[in-house]
Amino acid sequence: GSSELRPPAAGPGQPSPQQRTETLGFYESDRGRKKKRSLPDLSLLRFISAELTRGYFLEHNEAKYTERRERVYTCMRIPKELEKLMFFGIFLCLDAFLYVFTLLPLRVFLAMFRFITLPCYGLRDRRLLQPAQVCDILKGVILVICYFMMHYVDYSMMYHLIRGQSVIKLYIIYNMLEVADRLISSFGQDILDALYWTATEPKERKRAHIGVIPHFFMAVLYVFLHAILIMVQATTLNVAFNSHNKSLLTIMMSNNFVEIKGSVFKKFEKNNLFQMSNSDIKERFTNYVLLLIVCLRNMEQFSWNPDHLWVLFPDVCMVVASEIAVDIVKHAFITKFNDITADVYSEYRASLAFDLVSSRQKNAYTDYSDSVSRRMGFIPLPLAVLLIRVVTSSIKVQGVLAYVCVVLFYCGLISLKVLNSIVLLGKSCQYVKEAKMEEKLFNPVLTATPGKPAGKQQGTFKSTQGISTDENGSTSVTSQPVHQKENMPSLLVTSNSDQFLTTPDGEEKDISQDSSELKHRSAKKDLLEIDRFTICGNRID
C-alpha cells in the first residue's frame, strides 16, 4: 500500500522533482537580479523628459473642439445681434410712445367731429362710431382725466420725503418699485383691453360684463396709480443723482448686476429668451424716459443753466453703459449655457416686425400701440401722463412767441413720428421677407362666432384657412385679420398673439378636422404666439 502513495518515478530523459525545484528557484533569483538592474533606468530625468516630450492629437476629438470654438464665436456675435434687436425694439416703443402725443389727439378730434356731424350725414351704419374711434376717444379721455389728477400730487414734497430716507431704505424702495412696476404692467393692459372690448362689443350679444362705466373707472384708476409709481421711481433716481457721494447711484447700478445671477443659471428655451428680450427692451426704453425726466427736473432747479447739463452727463452715461453691459453679459451666458445660437435674435426681430406689418392691414384686429403693449409689456399711457405733467410744470409758456414755439415743436414731433413709422415699416417688411413669413400675413384661420357651429360655414371658408408647416413637419396656424365681404356670415378672427405662453417650444401643434370641427391638439408655441409674457421673473418654467 505504501508503494501506491509514492510519486511516479521520473522517466528516462526527464528531470526529477528535486531538479525541477532547483531550476525554478534559479530562474526566480535570476529575474529578481534583472529587476534590480532595471530600477536605475526609471530616473527623475527620464520622467521629466517624458513629460516634456509627451504629445497628443486634438483631431481625435474634432467635434468637441469645433463646438467650443463655435461657442466662442457665438459669444462674440451676441453684442452685435442683441443691440440690433434692442435698437429695433426701442424704436418700436418710441413709435408707440410718440403716437400718444401726435396722432392720438388728431384721431380723437376726427372721431369727435364725426360724432357731432353724424346727424348731417344720417345714420347709414348701425354703429355711431367705428370701434377704433371709440378706443381713441377712451384713450384721450383717460389721458386728460389722469393729467388733471396728477396735479394733486406734489412732486417737491415727494422728493424731499424720499431724500430724507437712508441709503439702504432707498435701495429697498427702488427694488420694490421695479417689482411693482412689472406686476401692475402685467395687469394693466388686461384692464385696458377689457375696457376697449366692452365698449365696442356688438350689442346683439348676451351681456356678460359689468358695464362700460365700471371698466372705465378701473382703467382711470390703473393709469393714475401706475403714473404715480413711475413718478416715485423717477424721484428716487433723481435723489440718487443729486446725492453728494453718489453711493446710492452706485448701489442702484449694482442692482443690475444682481440680475445676472438670477438669470444666467436658469434653463431658458428660445421662447423664454424672447420674453426676456422684450422685457429688456421695455426696461431700457423706460429708463431712458426716466433719465429724461430727471434731467428736466434738475435743469429746472438750476434755471436751465447749460453748464449743469454737463454735470449730469457723466452719471447718465454711466447708467446707460451699465444697463447695456448687463444685458450683453446676461444674454451671452444664457445663450452659452442653453446652446442657443446668435441667429435667434434675427427671428425675434422678424417676429416684432411681423406685428408691425400685420397691424397695418385693412382689418387689423388691434392697434399697433396695443400690440407693442401686449408683446413687450410697455404701456405708454401712464408714462405719457407723467411726462406731460413734468414738462408742463417745468416749462412755462408765456407770450405769443412761446405758443408759436409750442406749435412748431408739435409739428416737429408729428414729422418725427411719421418719419419713424415709415422707416420702421420699410425695415419690418424687409425683415419679414428675409424670414419668409409673408404667407402668414395672407393665410388667416377663421373660426365661427360663439353660438354658431363651424360645420355650417366649412364649405365657404376652406380656401381661407392658412395652415403652414414648418421645417420639422409640425403644423402652425397663424391668424391675422383679412377683409370680409358683406354677404359672408359673421366670423371672429382668432389671434394667436392674444394667447399666453404656457409651455416651452418643445411641444407640437397639430390641427385636424373631424366632422366639420377643428380640434386643436397640444400647441407648439412659435414666436408669433408669445404674448403678455410673465413680466415678473421674465420666464416661464
Side-chain angles (χ1 to χ4, degrees):
S2 61
S3 61
E4 295 179 356
L5 297 176
R6 294 176 184 175
Q14 294 182 352
S16 63
Q18 185 178 1
Q19 292 177 346
R20 291 176 187 171
T21 303
E22 293 176 356
T23 304
L24 190 61
F26 172 77
Y27 280 122
E28 289 178 353
S29 61
D30 185 64
R31 190 181 303 168
R33 286 193 297 270
K34 286 182 178 181
K35 286 183 178 180
K36 292 179 181 179
R37 287 196 301 267
S38 62
L39 285 177
D41 297 338
L42 297 178
S43 63
L44 178 63
L45 293 178
R46 185 174 180 181
F47 176 78
I48 295 176
S49 175
E51 289 295 320
L52 293 177
T53 58
R54 178 170 52 88
Y56 49 87
F57 300 93
L58 299 181
E59 59 265 21
H60 292 168
N61 199 356
E62 180 179 356
K64 174 183 176 181
Y65 291 105
T66 303
E67 180 185 359
R68 297 297 174 87
R69 185 173 61 187
E70 291 300 324
R71 286 184 180 180
V72 174
Y73 292 163
T74 299
C75 289
M76 295 172 62
R77 289 180 57 195
I78 287 299
K80 179 182 177 181
E81 298 297 329
L82 176 63
E83 289 307 312
K84 279 183 178 180
L85 174 65
M86 290 288 176
F87 192 75
F88 183 71
I90 286 174
F91 274 94
L92 290 180
C93 293
L94 178 63
D95 192 66
F97 192 57
L98 289 176
Y99 170 82
V100 179
F101 301 98
T102 56
L103 300 185
L104 181 61
L106 298 178
R107 289 175 62 94
V108 172
F109 175 77
L110 293 177
M112 296 300 296
F113 180 77
R114 170 186 166 85
F115 181 75
I116 294 173
T117 60
L118 191 61
C120 300
Y121 298 99
L123 189 60
R124 299 179 182 178
D125 194 3
R126 298 181 63 183
R127 294 178 181 269
L128 296 177
L129 295 173
Q130 295 298 322
Q133 294 175 329
V134 175
C135 294
D136 291 335
I137 292 177
L138 290 173
K139 291 178 184 178
V141 174
I142 291 173
L143 200 66
V144 172
I145 293 177
C146 291
Y147 168 71
F148 284 107
M149 292 174 64
M150 289 294 292
H151 279 283
Y152 294 96
V153 181
D154 192 351
Y155 185 88
S156 300
M157 184 186 68
M158 183 182 299
Y159 176 83
H160 291 288
L161 182 64
I162 294 177
R163 189 176 183 180
Q165 307 300 323
S166 62
V167 174
I168 299 300
K169 189 179 294 186
L170 288 179
Y171 173 71
I172 297 174
I173 291 174
Y174 193 78
N175 288 338
M176 292 174 59
L177 291 175
E178 284 188 346
V179 175
D181 179 62
R182 295 182 179 184
L183 293 177
I184 197 172
S185 296
S186 63
F187 191 61
Q189 187 59 40
D190 292 338
I191 294 176
L192 295 176
D193 287 339
L195 171 64
Y196 302 152
W197 174 239
T198 304
T200 60
E201 188 178 8
K203 304 302 180 183
E204 62 269 11
R205 294 187 181 178
K206 183 180 179 181
R207 176 169 175 171
H209 54 80
I210 60 177
V212 178
I213 296 179
H215 279 285
F216 178 76
F217 282 115
M218 289 171 59
V220 170
L221 181 62
Y222 154 70
V223 174
F224 177 66
L225 294 178
H226 198 178
I228 291 179
L229 189 144
I230 300 175
M231 176 182 282
V232 177
Q233 277 185 296
T235 307
T236 308
L237 190 61
N238 196 6
V239 171
F241 268 73
N242 294 331
S243 60
H244 299 288
N245 54 3
K246 305 295 182 182
S247 58
L248 179 59
L249 185 62
T250 305
I251 293 175
M252 291 169 62
M253 286 193 307
S254 66
N255 187 40
N256 293 332
F257 292 91
V258 178
E259 185 180 353
I260 297 178
K261 177 183 177 182
S263 301
V264 297
F265 299 113
K266 295 179 181 178
K267 178 175 173 53
F268 275 82
E269 302 289 343
K270 288 174 59 177
N271 291 346
N272 305 130
L273 183 60
F274 184 39
Q275 297 166 359
M276 192 182 70
S277 301
N278 290 332
S279 177
D280 291 338
I281 293 172
K282 175 251 181 183
E283 181 180 356
R284 190 179 294 190
F285 182 79
T286 305
N287 287 338
Y288 291 162
V289 178
L290 291 179
L291 290 175
L292 175 62
I293 294 174
V294 169
C295 292
L296 287 175
R297 297 298 301 178
N298 278 275
M299 293 299 292
E300 180 200 3
Q301 297 299 324
F302 287 88
S303 302
W304 299 97
N305 186 8
D307 295 335
H308 185 69
L309 184 62
W310 296 108
V311 176
L312 296 174
F313 187 73
D315 295 334
V316 172
C317 292
M318 188 166 53
V319 172
V320 173
S322 66
E323 188 73 25
I324 295 175
V326 166
D327 288 340
I328 290 176
V329 172
K330 180 174 62 176
H331 284 264
F333 280 98
I334 286 176
T335 52
K336 178 183 182 299
F337 292 150
N338 295 276
D339 294 328
I340 300 176
T341 62
D343 297 329
V344 73
Y345 292 100
S346 299
E347 300 177 18
Y348 299 161
R349 190 175 55 194
S351 180
L352 295 177
F354 184 88
D355 287 343
L356 176 59
V357 175
S358 61
S359 66
R360 304 291 179 178
Q361 289 182 333
K362 186 174 182 180
N363 285 342
Y365 58 85
T366 184
D367 185 66
Y368 168 65
S369 59
D370 295 329
S371 177
V372 173
S373 301
R374 297 186 188 98
R375 179 74 76 177
M376 299 183 183
F378 171 69
I379 305 175
L381 285 181
L383 202 58
V385 169
L386 177 60
L387 187 59
I388 294 173
R389 170 72 175 85
V390 171
V391 170
T392 53
S393 62
S394 301
I395 301 175
K396 304 300 181 182
V397 180
Q398 296 177 354
V400 179
L401 184 59
Y403 284 101
V404 172
C405 293
V406 170
V407 173
L408 292 177
F409 180 74
Y410 180 72
C411 294
L413 282 181
I414 294 179
S415 302
L416 178 61
K417 168 68 174 69
V418 172
L419 179 62
N420 188 39
S421 299
I422 292 174
V423 174
L424 281 178
L425 186 59
K427 285 293 184 180
S428 298
C429 293
Q430 176 185 346
Y431 296 149
V432 169
K433 288 181 180 180
E434 290 176 355
K436 299 179 181 179
M437 300 167 64
E438 304 99 319
E439 67 277 1
K440 294 186 177 183
L441 288 171
F442 307 106
N443 294 333
V445 174
L446 302 178
T447 59
T449 54
K452 296 182 181 181
K456 297 180 181 180
Q457 303 159 352
Q458 61 180 357
T460 307
F461 298 100
K462 280 184 179 179
S463 60
T464 63
Q465 293 180 353
I467 303 178
S468 58
T469 306
D470 59 8
E471 297 177 356
N472 298 329
S474 60
T475 306
S476 62
V477 178
T478 59
S479 54
Q480 300 295 334
V482 294
H483 181 68
Q484 301 178 10
K485 298 180 180 179
E486 294 180 357
N487 56 354
M488 293 181 181
S490 61
L491 295 175
L492 176 63
V493 180
T494 59
S495 168
N496 288 334
S497 62
D498 288 336
Q499 300 175 357
F500 282 96
L501 176 66
T502 55
T503 55
D505 58 354
E507 299 182 1
E508 297 181 351
K509 183 175 186 179
D510 296 329
I511 294 183
S512 62
Q513 188 170 2
D514 183 15
S515 65
S516 75
E517 289 186 356
L518 291 176
K519 295 184 177 180
H520 297 274
R521 298 176 183 175
S522 60
K524 175 183 177 180
K525 304 295 182 183
D526 62 1
L527 296 179
L528 297 178
E529 296 174 326
I530 302 175
D531 189 15
R532 280 192 298 244
F533 51 91
T534 52
I535 304 176
C536 184
N538 299 331
R539 75 186 194 94
I540 298 176
D541 293 325

